[in-house]
Amino acid sequence: MKHKHPFFVLEGIDGSGKTTQQAGLVNHLRSKGYNVHATCEPTNSRIGRMIRDVFSGKEMADQHVIAALFCADRLDHLHHLDNGLLAMNETHAIVSDRYYLSSLAYHGVHVDMNWVFQSNQPAMHALKPTAHIYIDMDPKESMNRIAENRKHVELYETLENLTAVRDAYEKAISLLPDDDIVVRINGNQSVEQVHKSIIKAVDTVLTA
Ligand code: TYD
């Protein structure tokens, strides 16, 4: 393995509870003595801000442009001189809220998934997660959570789109090479139960 410290990625459709589960996983790893860097995509870089402007409806962009912006944001996330993932992973375990599997699933609904796969090759070669933790959730339930918790609904957050993204996650997972480890978690459980399932899976991966 190229990296010395574990790198876990949380994946799932919008409203699947990744952000809450990320905090729980970070605490768990810290309690095991790991130095942990928590991060997310889209990032807070200038490219990440361009993406957020498209998502909020402030800017319009073609679906290929959106996919390419995410790709650029990810490469910056990896290679940034101050806190890039490649440098951080030399000294820290990393837990990221989304990575390239999100791109395959979300953009694969709108543009050719193979093109997204190819454009993410540099990231896939630069840093592979120790495991992608995919919180699989019923889109109807995730839409209920979004409606409860958000002031505004973003681009991609419709039942129709999230249903398509969930299907695209399945296709994307099947496209990943064998050395991409995907752990599937049932997201239709209580927050506590999902947390326990994640911890169990992570501990298994860490001792493997
Ligand atoms: P999300 O994790 O939901 O962030 P927030 O908690 O700020 O809403 O991600 C924002 C959106 O970005 C979500 O709809 C998924 C989308 N996305 C892509 O379309 N492609 C990508 O490569 C990534 C990382 C995210």
Side-chain angles (χ1 to χ4, degrees):
M1 204 168 283
K2 275 188 203 158
H3 45 289
K4 298 184 199 121
H5 299 273
F7 169 30
F8 292 107
V9 178
L10 289 159
E11 288 286 353
I13 58 175
D14 294 73
S16 57
K18 290 175 293 82
T19 311
T20 307
Q21 295 301 337
Q22 181 186 29
L25 176 54
V26 167
N27 285 341
H28 175 71
L29 291 172
R30 286 194 176 133
S31 75
K32 287 176 81 102
Y34 287 100
N35 231 342
V36 186
H37 174 61
T39 185
C40 67
E41 293 185 1
T43 70
N44 292 319
S45 73
R46 287 179 65 187
I47 307 167
R49 286 203 297 277
M50 286 167 78
I51 293 170
R52 288 182 198 283
D53 283 347
V54 174
F55 274 69
S56 66
K58 212 169 135 194
E59 297 274 353
M60 299 291 278
D62 171 81
Q63 293 292 347
H64 283 93
V65 175
I66 299 176
L69 281 173
F70 271 106
C71 193
D73 187 44
R74 180 160 305 123
L75 290 172
D76 186 57
H77 196 196
L78 279 162
H79 296 286
H80 199 282
L81 289 181
D82 298 334
N83 55 5
L85 296 183
L86 286 173
M88 287 303 288
N89 206 205
E90 291 292 319
T91 49
H92 289 69
I94 295 175
V95 181
S96 182
D97 183 345
R98 301 193 182 281
Y99 196 43
Y100 54 75
L101 187 56
S102 281
S103 274
L104 302 188
Y106 278 81
H107 310 301
V109 169
H110 304 280
V111 301
D112 178 13
M113 196 185 286
N114 285 312
W115 176 76
V116 185
F117 188 88
Q118 290 307 326
S119 38
N120 275 278
Q121 285 295 308
M124 291 185 193
H125 286 299
L127 188 63
K128 264 199 193 214
T130 309
H132 307 261
I133 300 167
Y134 173 50
I135 305 175
D136 183 24
M137 173 145 197
D138 178 358
K140 285 201 197 82
E141 193 46 47
S142 82
M143 282 299 293
N144 288 342
R145 286 202 197 164
I146 291 170
E148 276 167 23
N149 299 331
R150 305 270 172 88
K151 284 188 220 69
H152 64 275
V153 172
E154 295 194 321
L155 186 77
Y156 295 163
E157 291 180 344
T158 63
L159 179 59
E160 193 190 7
N161 189 63
L162 292 187
T163 304
V165 173
R166 190 196 194 189
D167 290 345
Y169 260 112
E170 294 302 332
K171 185 176 167 197
I173 289 168
S174 71
L175 273 187
L176 292 177
D178 288 348
D179 57 347
D180 275 89
I181 311 289
V182 180
V183 174
R184 189 185 293 268
I185 302 289
N186 175 8
N188 304 308
Q189 315 176 82
S190 67
V191 170
E192 189 50 36
Q193 204 50 52
V194 172
H195 173 70
K196 282 192 183 136
S197 306
I198 291 176
I199 296 315
K200 198 171 159 207
V202 160
D203 286 348
T204 305
V205 169
L206 287 174
T207 49

